[in-house]
Amino acid sequence: MRDLGAGFRYLLRGQKWVGRHGRQYGFGLLPGLITLVLYVGALVALGVWGEDVVTWATPFADDWSSPWDGVFRGLLTAVLFALGLLLAVVTFTAVTLLIGQPFYESLSEAVDRDVSPDGTAPESGLPLWRELWISARDSLRIVVRAALWGVLLFAAGFIPFVGQTAVPVIGFFVTGFFLTEELTAVALQRRGVELRSRLALLRSRRTLVWGFGTPLAVAFVVPFVAVFLMPGAVAGATLMARDLLGEEDRADGDGADGEQTAQGVTA
């Protein structure tokens, strides 16, 4: 339970950090705004033409008597839109991070320099194109994992009572875990931590990850809110990545907690 609260505090500290560094916050908003426009357009298109897609995909229902054909296709249309919304929430961070790689790298490095005892930030030493390739490759792998979980939870949603109570809660925890992986990847990739090692690192502190990512997943249900929280989420994830790797912070830094929460976890 202590880690759960610590994770949430990192989320709040990240928002506090960007609030004190307005220029970094302003630059950090741009990728989210671009992604929001793209996603809103896609969801509007799905809402407008989703029924036509379902009708095309279910020709066997043409001969059904009314109202069953309409009920069946209406349900499938709602399911299709719900899946689209779920994928939008899960992939919003990955796409925003990919579009905003240079912005968020700069923001994450600024956080590292601000809280590091020696005022330095780790650097990957890789060219930008290589960093973008690694980020895109790893994001795709995470999206595939998240999609598999989404299908599983969607199927579980048809279980009476459990599907309407426990499944949505589990869904937010799962989404929170993957959101945290995407956000901490900005800082961890600069430190040369590969995807498999990052996942093992996050699983070793699940409650810390859930405390950070689950409230963020709830907030990210509204994409417009996600745009304004993204810069602070990247900053908070950088602070948490330092905790996960057992790195020390300056006593007066924005990331200082007043207590030692870091554990000696190595990638």
Side-chain angles (χ1 to χ4, degrees), residues 124-202:
S124 66
L126 299 174
L128 179 60
W129 71 267
R130 179 66 177 169
E131 290 182 349
L132 289 173
W133 163 250
I134 293 174
S135 178
R137 180 197 64 191
D138 291 349
S139 292
L140 180 59
R141 292 174 177 175
I142 290 299
V143 167
V144 170
R145 286 178 168 87
L148 291 175
W149 270 98
V151 171
L152 179 63
L153 290 172
F154 176 73
F158 289 98
I159 301 175
F161 183 73
V162 174
Q164 293 74 48
T165 54
V167 169
V169 174
I170 295 172
F172 278 118
F173 276 90
V174 171
T175 303
F177 181 90
F178 287 120
L179 283 176
T180 303
E181 194 290 323
E182 290 285 353
L183 291 165
T184 54
V186 178
L188 294 176
Q189 282 180 3
R190 283 192 290 108
R191 291 161 167 82
V193 184
E194 298 290 336
L195 176 60
R196 183 173 297 180
S197 298
R198 293 201 304 267
L199 289 172
L201 193 63
L202 295 176

Side-chain angles (χ1 to χ4, degrees), residues 33-256:
L33 289 171
I34 295 171
T35 308
L36 177 63
V37 171
L38 295 174
Y39 272 56
V40 168
L43 288 174
V44 168
L46 186 60
V48 172
W49 291 294
E51 186 176 356
D52 294 335
V53 172
V54 169
T55 301
W56 170 82
T58 57
F60 56 85
D62 290 342
D63 298 328
W64 291 11
S65 60
S66 179
W68 301 115
D69 57 339
V71 171
F72 175 71
R73 284 171 169 164
L75 177 61
L76 286 184
T77 301
V79 168
L80 179 64
F81 189 82
L83 283 175
L85 186 60
L86 174 63
L87 286 176
V89 172
V90 170
T91 62
F92 184 89
T93 302
V95 174
T96 303
L97 288 174
L98 184 61
I99 293 174
Q101 179 80 9
F103 298 92
Y104 295 136
E105 284 284 353
S106 176
L107 191 155
S108 180
E109 288 178 8
V111 173
D112 269 323
R113 286 193 295 269
D114 186 47
V115 302
S116 176
D118 58 5
T120 62
E123 297 181 2
S124 66
L126 299 174
L128 179 60
W129 71 267
R130 179 66 177 169
E131 290 182 349
L132 289 173
W133 163 250
I134 293 174
S135 178
R137 180 197 64 191
D138 291 349
S139 292
L140 180 59
R141 292 174 177 175
I142 290 299
V143 167
V144 170
R145 286 178 168 87
L148 291 175
W149 270 98
V151 171
L152 179 63
L153 290 172
F154 176 73
F158 289 98
I159 301 175
F161 183 73
V162 174
Q164 293 74 48
T165 54
V167 169
V169 174
I170 295 172
F172 278 118
F173 276 90
V174 171
T175 303
F177 181 90
F178 287 120
L179 283 176
T180 303
E181 194 290 323
E182 290 285 353
L183 291 165
T184 54
V186 178
L188 294 176
Q189 282 180 3
R190 283 192 290 108
R191 291 161 167 82
V193 184
E194 298 290 336
L195 176 60
R196 183 173 297 180
S197 298
R198 293 201 304 267
L199 289 172
L201 193 63
L202 295 176
R203 291 182 186 122
S204 71
R205 301 283 296 278
R206 279 190 176 90
T207 51
L208 180 72
V209 171
W210 287 334
F212 181 90
T214 303
L216 203 58
V218 175
F220 274 23
V221 169
V222 184
F224 191 73
V225 173
V227 170
F228 292 97
L229 291 183
M230 272 296 292
V234 172
T238 301
L239 296 172
M240 192 171 72
R242 297 179 63 87
D243 181 344
L244 289 166
L245 294 174
E247 298 177 5
E248 294 183 359
D249 293 338
R250 286 192 296 109
D252 59 342
D254 287 328

